[in-house]
Amino acid sequence: MHAIEKILAKNSGKERVVPGEIVTAKIDFAEINDLYLQTIYSFYEMGGKRVWDNTRAAFVFDHYAPAPTIKSAANQREMRQFAQENGLKFHFDTQCGVCHQVMPEAGVIYPGMIVVATDSHTTTHGAFGALGTGCGATDMACILMTGELWFRVPEIMEVRLEGEAPDGVFPKDVILHVLGQIKADGAVYKAIDFTGSYVEKLDVAGRMTICNMAVEMGAKTAYMQPNQAVLDYVSSRAVRPFQVETTDPDFNYSESYVFQVGDLEPQLACPHSVDNVRPLPQVLAAGEVRIDQGYIGSCTGGRTEDLAQAARILKGKHIPPYTRLVVVPASAEVMQACMERGIIQDLMAAGATIASPGCGACLGAHEGVIAPGEVCITSTNRNFPGRMGSTGAEIYLASPATVAASILNGRITDPRLYLKEEG
């Protein structure tokens, strides 16, 4: 069996499972974000009294943090009341950050577990050797009542990433390239196992970026076999003992793709689809693309390493007049680390607006939404019309380094130009 199948088998009390089989599995941790007040209503409508385990569920207020409207404030108030009434051990209020960042920081994510959250990008936690997936309000209400959820065991496809990335090519570039090849519907309800020499050497932040965007190919979940960087991170934080599952040597993937990372250039996902991916030099060859806003943040591109990439390019420089750069650290811990290293200060000196940790404009809610006719280059994960504001705007997805180089130049720019100068 694959490690994912072993996790499903363990949590459903079976010796083995096979693709297509329906199982009911125990959930190790459940998370509800502030878009899903309906979860509480469904919980009571179905006869719920108390959360099944107050140490295995949490609310995270990240999409509207701090609350930008009366309605979002009222929703959060009801969620706080529910959390207090059920004595939830973990609660992440508006000061904490993005759910996919704060949960690993709090130690509730670890190898071999099943985590379900009301957010599609829960595939992020495959970076830790966990099975992470999203669900809606009704399924989450069932989890809060019973601690269980049904799953169809997914087919498992391999995406093997080999080689060493050249200077100026980052994990975001790698996953954008994969997306451009496999396409947005290439892994619907499948699990993606990211393997290969590139993955084996990848740090925690890079692994999270790649697993995060597996859902943009339709994947049910993502997985990476934990390396030493992951084990060190988790061992220093995990609130429970954990078991690392491994894939049997004779396991056969439903399909396999192989990508040579050493051949890549910086990538862009162009409007208006996440799989409309082109090498950055190809976009530049087609003509100048002027930029109104750069955005660095989210569960895909808001970690310390991401902000450091941007600061490396922007330090000692300043963005042009009438442009703006919005930087949203993924969590309070990330913001604190970046302040201690002087990264926040360098970004502010370059003209960046630093917003409080959260999802902000990634979903078009607040803290940097864009107007009709504007062009934004962003380290976030989706670029369909209206995602970050007006349906009349255009969104390019890129690495934080490409975002920084582009907003510094006022037009889409290859970050290798600045990195070469630095070298």
Side-chain angles (χ1 to χ4, degrees):
M1 288 193 296
H2 189 276
I4 289 174
E5 295 172 336
K6 290 181 179 180
I7 293 170
L8 283 169
K10 175 187 66 178
N11 280 36
S12 58
K14 292 176 171 284
E15 287 191 10
R16 65 180 297 108
V17 298
V18 296
E21 180 180 356
I22 304 295
V23 300
T24 300
K26 294 185 182 300
I27 306 305
D28 294 296
F29 202 83
E31 180 267 322
I32 309 98
N33 67 40
D34 49 349
L35 290 175
Y36 282 84
L37 177 62
Q38 180 60 44
T39 299
I40 295 174
Y41 297 160
S42 296
F43 177 85
Y44 288 129
E45 287 165 2
M46 291 189 291
K49 302 296 183 184
R50 299 282 295 179
V51 170
W52 98 99
D53 186 335
N54 68 351
T55 69
R56 294 182 180 270
F59 288 95
V60 181
F61 298 162
D62 56 359
H63 284 63
Y64 297 96
T69 66
I70 295 171
K71 178 61 176 173
S72 60
N75 289 353
Q76 290 173 359
R77 184 171 185 267
E78 287 192 62
M79 291 176 169
R80 286 190 193 96
Q81 184 176 353
F82 183 89
Q84 287 177 297
E85 290 172 352
N86 283 272
L88 299 188
K89 179 179 178 180
F90 298 99
H91 176 70
F92 304 93
D93 220 296
T94 56
Q95 82 281 12
C96 294
V98 182
C99 60
H100 309 304
Q101 183 69 23
V102 300
M103 287 194 293
E105 289 174 352
V108 300
I109 304 297
Y110 44 84
M113 72 178 299
I114 296 179
V115 53
V116 180
T118 55
D119 192 290
S120 59
H121 290 104
T122 310
T123 57
T124 302
H125 305 299
F128 300 95
L131 192 165
T133 194
C135 75
T138 304
D139 281 341
M140 181 55 69
C142 291
I143 293 172
L144 294 184
M145 291 174 64
T146 67
E148 298 179 340
L149 187 65
W150 71 272
F151 295 87
R152 178 165 68 83
V153 180
E155 293 181 358
I156 300 169
M157 58 187 283
E158 178 188 31
V159 173
R160 184 147 46 95
L161 305 173
E162 296 288 2
E164 188 171 329
D167 287 345
V169 173
F170 300 93
K172 181 63 172 289
D173 298 300
V174 173
I175 191 59
L176 286 178
H177 177 70
V178 171
L179 256 163
Q181 299 300 307
I182 297 178
K183 298 301 182 182
D185 59 354
V188 173
Y189 212 99
K190 296 177 182 179
I192 300 179
D193 184 6
F194 293 98
T195 67
S197 58
Y198 177 75
V199 172
E200 290 167 6
K201 297 177 182 178
L202 203 54
D203 62 15
V204 172
R207 286 171 159 245
M208 292 175 74
T209 295
I210 288 175
C211 286
N212 176 281
M213 295 195 71
V215 73
E216 307 306 335
M217 292 175 271
K220 181 68 175 175
T221 192
Y223 188 81
M224 290 179 175
Q225 189 66 34
N227 62 5
Q228 195 58 50
V230 168
L231 294 176
D232 290 345
Y233 183 95
V234 174
S235 296
S236 67
R237 298 171 183 255
V239 298
R240 299 180 190 277
F242 59 86
Q243 174 184 336
V244 179
E245 301 293 350
T246 57
T247 300
D248 294 334
D250 60 349
F251 177 78
N252 292 316
Y253 293 98
S254 63
E255 55 195 301
S256 292
Y257 298 85
V258 180
F259 299 92
Q260 297 297 330
V261 174
D263 298 334
L264 291 183
E265 297 181 290
Q267 305 285 304
L268 286 172
C270 302
H272 294 283
S273 174
V274 72
D275 60 2
N276 183 20
V277 178
R278 304 173 197 170
L280 191 150
Q282 187 182 108
V283 176
L284 296 178
E288 181 178 279
V289 180
R290 298 202 65 80
I291 300 297
D292 298 291
Q293 175 171 293
Y295 187 95
I296 298 171
S298 86
C299 56
T300 315
R303 283 172 274 278
T304 304
E305 292 83 351
D306 301 313
L307 273 61
Q309 289 170 19
R312 180 181 170 192
I313 291 171
L314 291 167
K315 185 175 182 178
K317 306 180 181 72
H318 202 283
I319 65 174
Y322 308 110
T323 63
R324 64 227 188 243
L325 171 62
V326 180
V327 176
V328 186
S331 71
E333 181 177 310
V334 168
M335 179 176 272
Q336 184 66 40
C338 288
M339 291 172 64
E340 290 171 358
R341 290 175 54 180
I343 293 169
I344 294 294
Q345 294 89 327
D346 288 340
L347 293 171
M348 290 181 69
T353 298
I354 310 297
S356 59
C359 300
C362 179
L363 72 153
H366 62 137
E367 292 188 330
V369 297
I370 48 180
E374 289 194 317
V375 178
C376 179
I377 186 166
T378 173
S379 69
T380 56
N381 45 37
R382 287 179 179 157
N383 65 340
F384 51 76
R387 173 66 181 180
M388 295 185 69
S390 170
T391 57
E394 292 187 343
I395 302 168
Y396 290 81
L397 305 181
S399 74
T402 299
V403 174
S406 298
I407 198 63
L408 181 59
N409 211 23
R411 59 183 182 270
I412 289 180
T413 301
D414 194 323
R416 293 175 296 185
L417 298 174
Y418 291 101
L419 297 176
K420 189 181 295 183
E421 285 178 9
E422 183 185 73

